[in-house]
Amino acid sequence: MGAVPQQLIGDRRINTNVQMSKDAGHGAVLEEIEGLIKVYKDGYVERLPAVPHVPCTWACEPGVTSEDVALAGSSTDLWARLHMPVHRHQRFPLLVYFHGGGFCVGSPAWRCYHEFLARLTSHAACSVLSINYRLAPEHRLPAALEDGLAALRWVRQQAAGVRFDVGRVFLAGDSAGAAIAYHVAAAVGAEAAAALRPACLKGVILIQPFFGGVERTWSEKNLAQAAERSALSLAASDCYWRMALPPGANQDHPWCNPLAKGAPPLEGLRLPPLLVCVSELDILRDRNLAFCKALRNAGKGVEHKTYAGVGHAFQILHNYHMSQVRTNEMLIHIKAFITNIR
């Protein structure tokens, strides 16, 4: 595996000047999610240091080692953070993981993801390859989906390696990352993606998948969350989609709403077994549950788990009283899902 250029480690290309204003010459702010991102009239994008970045050497989980790797062969300087159990003599299942952040913010180097995925590595006895995919609005969809497929191509090239078992590969992600994992899995199932084999995709793990739609669900309209605890509001969701979708597209675009009339029929998709993790207090709850029901009706193998008393991104933000307990439950469910699929 190649070394990651130093300017990429920790995603240091991200601007962290929180004092930026109109006086800097960028004009008015056109889109903003408070504390995370601002998009100015001239197209300048400012990402704010809401979450600390940590190096791959950040020690947080006994028995786990992490390193940043360049995914050679990509045309977009794609890199990832690889978390591995220290027992290098053994080849473990591999989770190719996509972080959340509305397609617009986030990094494998964010401390919350580094810690959660290192913990997942230890608990589920797997390796985790956390992908630093391109972000919107500079790189609107399908850029992130293309990066997901590029990551799987890189995994396929590791067939002769000893770091992980390319015969037991899982796609996983949370929020926007879960949406990426789903769409990449659907693409891999198509005949055109046959070149990605012999990397064997065994399953898909979707944590609070970030989907949308023109018609609002009950939970999107009515689910009350304490402002200080809510990681995703309806206004923020709409803003993310405006920045991530192709210009002029609405939320019934197939990349946003896989159940829309124009989306590929679920019956025709070749999907491996899926685990969908739903949060009771998440505005996406009803949309996630409807997605699971539609998959089942289409004959797909899907199980879902609902986590009571917590909302969106509880497993990385620890922003609910029950976050720790529910995170432990989620880790147990993910481990069982991986272990039971051979």
Side-chain angles (χ1 to χ4, degrees):
M1 298 179 183
V4 177
Q6 284 298 310
Q7 66 268 26
L8 295 183
I9 296 177
D11 210 3
R12 291 174 184 154
R13 292 170 298 181
I14 291 178
N15 173 57
T16 57
N17 179 8
V18 296
Q19 302 300 322
M20 191 64 64
S21 69
K22 295 180 184 179
D23 296 336
H26 296 296
V29 174
L30 298 183
E31 298 283 5
E32 178 179 7
I33 296 178
E34 187 175 357
L36 288 172
I37 188 171
K38 295 180 182 180
V39 180
Y40 291 82
K41 186 175 181 180
D42 69 349
Y44 181 82
V45 178
E46 178 185 5
R47 291 185 175 86
L48 308 175
V51 181
H53 287 65
V54 297
C56 59
T57 53
W58 181 265
C60 61
E61 192 71 28
V64 174
T65 182
S66 304
E67 63 180 88
D68 288 340
V69 296
L71 304 190
S74 167
S75 61
T76 61
D77 295 325
L78 192 62
W79 67 273
R81 181 159 293 182
L82 178 61
H83 305 276
M84 299 172 292
V86 295
H87 305 291
R88 290 180 177 265
H89 64 280
Q90 183 177 348
R91 296 188 359 155
F92 294 91
L94 175 69
L95 264 67
V96 179
Y97 195 93
F98 304 96
H99 64 77
F103 307 99
C104 298
V105 297
S107 167
W110 270 15
R111 178 174 173 174
C112 58
Y113 279 110
H114 180 93
E115 293 179 343
F116 173 67
L117 295 179
R119 186 179 176 193
L120 175 59
T121 298
S122 175
H123 189 89
C126 63
S127 294
V128 177
L129 188 71
S130 180
I131 309 301
N132 191 64
Y133 57 86
R134 287 172 291 168
L135 299 176
E138 302 97 321
H139 305 284
R140 291 174 178 263
L141 293 172
L145 313 183
E146 293 167 350
D147 287 349
L149 287 169
L152 283 186
R153 293 188 188 98
W154 180 86
V155 169
R156 179 183 181 274
Q157 294 166 1
Q158 310 306 305
V162 295
R163 297 280 185 107
F164 40 77
D165 184 358
V166 296
R168 297 195 65 211
V169 177
F170 295 78
L171 290 177
D174 66 287
S175 194
I180 295 170
Y182 168 74
H183 288 298
V184 170
V188 169
E191 289 299 324
L196 290 173
R197 304 179 183 94
C200 186
L201 184 58
K202 290 293 190 178
V204 183
I205 301 164
L206 308 180
I207 302 173
Q208 305 139 358
F210 182 47
F211 296 132
V214 171
E215 184 178 352
R216 305 298 196 187
T217 66
W218 185 93
S219 61
E220 287 170 340
K221 292 185 292 185
N222 299 300
L223 192 58
Q225 298 187 67
E228 68 274 12
R229 293 184 178 181
S230 177
L232 183 68
S233 67
L234 190 57
S237 173
D238 289 345
C239 185
Y240 280 133
W241 285 118
R242 286 194 301 269
M243 291 189 285
L245 287 170
N250 66 25
Q251 289 190 37
D252 278 340
H253 190 288
W255 291 330
C256 177
N257 185 359
L259 304 185
K261 290 183 179 179
L266 296 180
E267 291 81 1
L269 298 180
R270 297 173 57 187
L271 294 170
L274 297 99
L275 169 65
V276 182
C277 300
V278 182
S279 294
E280 181 189 31
L281 303 182
D282 189 354
I283 64 168
L284 299 176
R285 182 196 65 196
D286 292 353
R287 195 169 294 280
N288 289 173
L289 293 175
F291 174 68
C292 292
K293 181 179 179 180
L295 286 171
R296 291 193 188 97
N297 289 342
K300 308 306 175 185
V302 58
E303 60 178 294
H304 83 267
K305 305 293 184 181
T306 299
Y307 301 94
V310 290
H312 198 76
F314 72 89
Q315 73 283 354
I316 59 167
L317 299 182
H318 313 298
N319 51 350
Y320 289 83
H321 173 68
M322 295 297 292
S323 288
Q324 190 62 45
V325 172
R326 299 298 178 239
T327 300
N328 290 339
E329 293 174 1
M330 178 183 289
L331 293 173
I332 291 171
H333 295 151
I334 292 175
K335 179 181 181 179
F337 180 76
I338 295 171
T339 302
N340 292 335
I341 294 179
R342 294 293 176 181

